[in-house]
Amino acid sequence: MSQLKIGSSQCLWTSICIVLFVLSMARGAVSTNYGDALTKSLLYFEAQRSGKLPSKQRVTWRGDSALRDGSDAHVDLTGGYYDAGDNMKFGFPLAFLTTMLAWSNIEMATQLKAHQEQENALAALKWATDFLIKAHPEPNVLYGQVGDGNSDHECWMRPEDMTTPRPSFRIDAQHPGSDLAGETAAAMAAASIAFAPSDEAYAQILIGHAKELFEFAKAYPGIYQNSITNAGGFYASSGYEDELLWAAAWLHRATNDQIYLDYLTQASGTGGPRTAFSWDDKFVGAQVLVAKLALEGKVESNGKIAEYKSMAEQFICNCAQKGSNNVKKTPGGLLYFLPWNNLQYTTAATFVLSAYSKYLTDAKASIQCPNGALQASDLLQIARSQVDYILGSNPQKMSYMVGVGTNYPKKPHHRAASIVSIRKDKTPVTCSGGYDKWYNNPAPNPNVLMGALVGGPNENDVYGDERSNFQQAEPATVTVAPFVGVLAAVF
C-alpha cells in the first residue's frame, strides 16, 4: 500500500482530508489483494485437477481421481480439469479455458514472471494441453467429453470416490463437431505460442495437433452436440463459424502462414457486433486478434480487416459505456451480461480490455467511440474497476473470489470443496448420502476453494451465499482462466 502523502498545509478543510484518506485506504486495501488473488487463481486450477496428482500439488485436500477415464474406449483420458462444481470433463468449455489461459500467458508473460507466477501459470496451462493431446489420438478423432452429465449431476460425491458412469464421447468424420474441433485447434495453437520460449519441442507438438484439428473442423462441418448429444443440455454450441475464425487467427499468430490469414479475409463474415465473449461465442476474440495485426501494421487496415477491427472496438466501446449499445452495469458498477454465472462474461470482457490496452500502447493508438475517445490507460482503468468490484469494492462488501479478503463466499456450489477431504476421512460418500450429509449442510464448506470465482451477484448487486444457488454460487473454470491475465495486467 502506498503511503498517504497529504500534509496539513495542503488540506484546508478537515472533511476533505478525511474523504481523501478514506478513498486512499479503500483503494489501497483492494490493490494489495491483486497479488494474493493472482496466486490463488492459479491454486484454483490445482483444486480442479482430475487424474493422478503430481508431486508438486499444492492443494493438498484433493486426491487422485477418475484414473480409469477413457478405459471404455481403450484410450487414456485421465487428467484435465473438472468443469465447475461437478465432476464432469466437458471438452468444449475446457478447450476455451485452455485458450484463455494461453492468451493470459502470452500477453501478460512479463507481469507473470515479475510476480513469480509464470511457472504456475504455465503448469496450469500444461495440465489442460496434456489432456487435449491425449484426447486427439487420430487426425479426425477428438474426445470431447468424459462422464455422463445427467447421472453426474444427480449425485453429490467427491471426485476421489465417485461411482457415477464415466463414458467417453468423441467426434469423428461420421460424427462431426467443427466448433469443438475448432476451439481445440485454437487452444493448441495459442498454447504453442505460450510454451515456445521455454519448450520448443512441446510447442511443435501442439501446433501439429492444432493444424490437424483445424483441417478436421473444416472438412467435416457440424455442431458438436449433434454428435455428443449428452453435452447439449449443458454446453450447447450456437454455431461453429466463430470457432473456425478464432482457430485461424491463433494459427496465423503461431505460424505466420498466409493460408490462415486468407481464411480470415475470405470468410463470409466477421461476426458483426457482439454482445458477449464466452465459451460459446468467440467472435470478439477473433476480431481482437485481427485488430492487433492491423494496429501493428502487419496487414492493411481496409476491407475485411477493417471490419474485424471495427467490430472489436465496437465491443470495447460498449463495455466502456461510450458505445451505441452499451453493456448494462449494476448500480454498483459491475458489467452485467446474463443472470447465470455473469462473472464468466465480465472476466472475459475485462481480459479483452486489458489485452487491447497493451495493443494500443504498443501502436501508440486510441479508439474513437461514438461517445468519446478511449486511450490505452482508460481501458486498463476500466479493467481495474471491474477487478476491484469482484475483489470486494461493491455494495455487498464481498469478495467474489473465494479465499481473498475476509468476506467471501463460504458455501460455493462445489462437490469436492463441500465434502470432507478424503485425506481426513476415507469413508466413501455415496451418491445420495452426499446430498443428505453435505449438500444440505448449513455449515460452510469444509475445504476452502482458494481462487475460485463464483457466478457473482445479480443485476442489483445482490448475492446469495447458498450451496443450492447454483446460478450465482457455482464457480467455473472458464471464469477464472481470463481473470489470471487480467490480474497480472492490473497488478
Side-chain angles (χ1 to χ4, degrees):
M1 189 188 303
S2 59
Q3 187 178 357
L4 186 66
K5 296 179 180 177
I6 304 174
S8 58
S9 61
Q10 293 172 279
C11 264
L12 299 178
W13 301 283
T14 304
S15 58
I16 294 177
C17 285
I18 292 170
V19 169
L20 288 172
F21 178 75
V22 169
L23 287 173
S24 175
M25 291 297 288
R27 180 72 192 87
V30 173
S31 68
T32 57
N33 279 342
Y34 294 162
D36 187 39
L38 176 60
T39 295
K40 287 173 178 171
S41 70
L42 292 165
L43 281 174
Y44 165 69
F45 285 100
E46 296 195 19
Q48 293 298 115
R49 283 172 170 168
S50 179
K52 178 77 175 171
L53 300 182
S55 58
K56 290 184 177 181
Q57 173 80 7
R58 296 176 295 166
V59 178
T60 55
W61 53 266
R62 280 294 323 284
D64 298 342
S65 62
L67 298 179
R68 289 181 49 76
D69 278 2
S71 58
D72 61 319
H74 307 290
V75 177
D76 177 10
L77 296 177
T78 59
Y81 290 115
Y82 295 121
D83 174 60
D86 51 13
N87 299 325
M88 289 297 299
K89 292 194 293 203
F90 288 114
F92 196 42
L94 194 156
F96 178 67
L97 83 85
T98 306
T99 314
M100 295 309 295
L101 267 180
W103 205 357
S104 295
N105 271 287
I106 294 164
E107 303 300 3
M108 290 77 181
T110 303
Q111 295 97 319
L112 287 167
K113 190 171 185 177
H115 301 307
Q116 299 181 314
E117 291 294 349
Q118 187 178 42
E119 183 179 341
N120 291 323
L122 286 171
L125 177 59
K126 193 169 188 293
W127 196 265
T129 51
D130 282 351
F131 173 77
L132 293 178
I133 288 170
K134 292 192 286 187
H136 182 226
E138 301 172 38
N140 294 343
V141 173
L142 176 64
Y143 285 86
Q145 183 175 318
V146 182
D148 178 278
N150 297 310
S151 62
D152 181 274
H153 288 192
E154 286 171 2
C155 295
W156 197 261
M157 306 178 78
R158 293 180 298 213
E160 291 84 0
D161 53 14
M162 60 178 162
T163 56
T164 47
R166 302 293 290 174
S168 308
F169 298 93
R170 67 184 234 179
I171 55 171
D172 53 38
Q174 289 73 42
H175 313 89
S178 304
D179 32 23
L180 176 61
E183 181 57 53
T184 310
M188 299 285 213
S192 75
I193 303 170
F195 284 111
S198 59
D199 193 342
E200 179 60 33
Y202 190 64
Q204 287 303 312
I205 291 169
L206 291 169
I207 203 67
H209 282 280
K211 289 177 177 180
E212 287 184 350
L213 285 162
F214 185 60
E215 294 307 316
F216 173 36
K218 289 191 300 174
Y220 301 97
I223 295 176
Y224 91 105
Q225 70 262 22
N226 291 340
S227 299
I228 304 178
T229 54
N230 191 260
F234 307 95
Y235 286 98
S237 170
S238 57
Y240 54 78
E241 292 83 0
D242 53 330
E243 281 82 18
L244 292 177
L245 294 178
W246 178 232
W250 277 115
L251 277 159
H252 178 262
R253 187 165 175 182
T255 65
N256 204 31
D257 194 322
Q258 183 67 31
I259 61 168
Y260 301 114
L261 184 60
D262 290 345
Y263 185 88
L264 289 161
T265 56
Q266 293 167 14
S268 58
T270 62
R274 311 309 296 177
T275 55
F277 176 41
S278 72
W279 59 265
D280 181 40
D281 190 337
K282 325 299 175 13
F283 279 119
V284 168
Q287 291 164 356
V288 166
L289 289 176
V290 177
K292 178 179 183 289
L293 290 173
L295 285 166
E296 292 170 338
K298 291 182 177 178
V299 294
E300 287 189 30
S301 187
N302 55 31
K304 190 67 68 71
I305 298 293
E307 187 182 333
Y308 279 110
K309 183 171 181 286
S310 174
M311 292 303 103
E313 294 183 349
Q314 193 172 129
F315 177 77
I316 291 166
C317 290
N318 288 335
C319 288
Q321 311 297 296
K322 288 180 180 286
S324 53
N325 184 28
N326 291 337
V327 175
K328 183 177 180 177
K329 291 181 87 170
T330 67
L334 179 70
L335 289 172
Y336 191 83
F337 296 85
L338 290 165
W340 197 311
N341 186 10
N342 173 67
L343 286 186
Q344 67 175 311
Y345 308 104
T346 307
T347 59
T350 305
F351 181 93
V352 167
L353 296 173
S354 303
Y356 215 80
S357 172
K358 179 186 175 189
Y359 305 158
L360 290 177
T361 299
D362 292 345
K364 297 181 175 59
S366 61
I367 300 175
Q368 300 303 315
C369 297
N371 293 300
L374 284 172
Q375 307 298 327
S377 58
D378 297 325
L379 301 192
L380 205 57
Q381 186 53 43
I382 296 165
R384 191 172 281 116
S385 74
Q386 295 303 296
V387 173
D388 289 350
Y389 181 106
I390 291 168
L391 297 184
S393 291
N394 57 63
Q396 296 265 350
K397 300 291 188 286
M398 172 178 271
S399 167
Y400 293 109
M401 177 173 273
V402 178
V404 173
T406 54
N407 183 30
Y408 54 82
K410 302 300 194 294
K411 293 184 278 187
H413 179 96
H414 191 277
R415 284 161 177 77
S418 68
I419 301 172
V420 65
S421 169
I422 199 164
R423 306 282 193 196
K424 290 187 176 180
D425 187 349
K426 295 188 186 301
T427 307
V429 177
T430 64
C431 173
S432 59
Y435 275 107
D436 296 339
K437 187 173 182 180
W438 299 106
Y439 179 82
N440 295 319
N441 191 329
N445 289 353
N447 308 303
V448 179
L449 192 63
M450 294 288 186
L453 285 174
V454 293
N458 67 15
E459 61 186 342
N460 296 312
D461 300 297
V462 176
Y463 178 79
D465 187 16
E466 293 297 333
R467 205 171 288 118
S468 58
N469 181 15
F470 48 82
Q471 280 204 3
Q472 287 186 299
E474 184 170 15
T477 46
V478 292
T479 311
V480 181
F483 205 54
V484 170
V486 174
L487 287 166
V490 302
F491 188 12

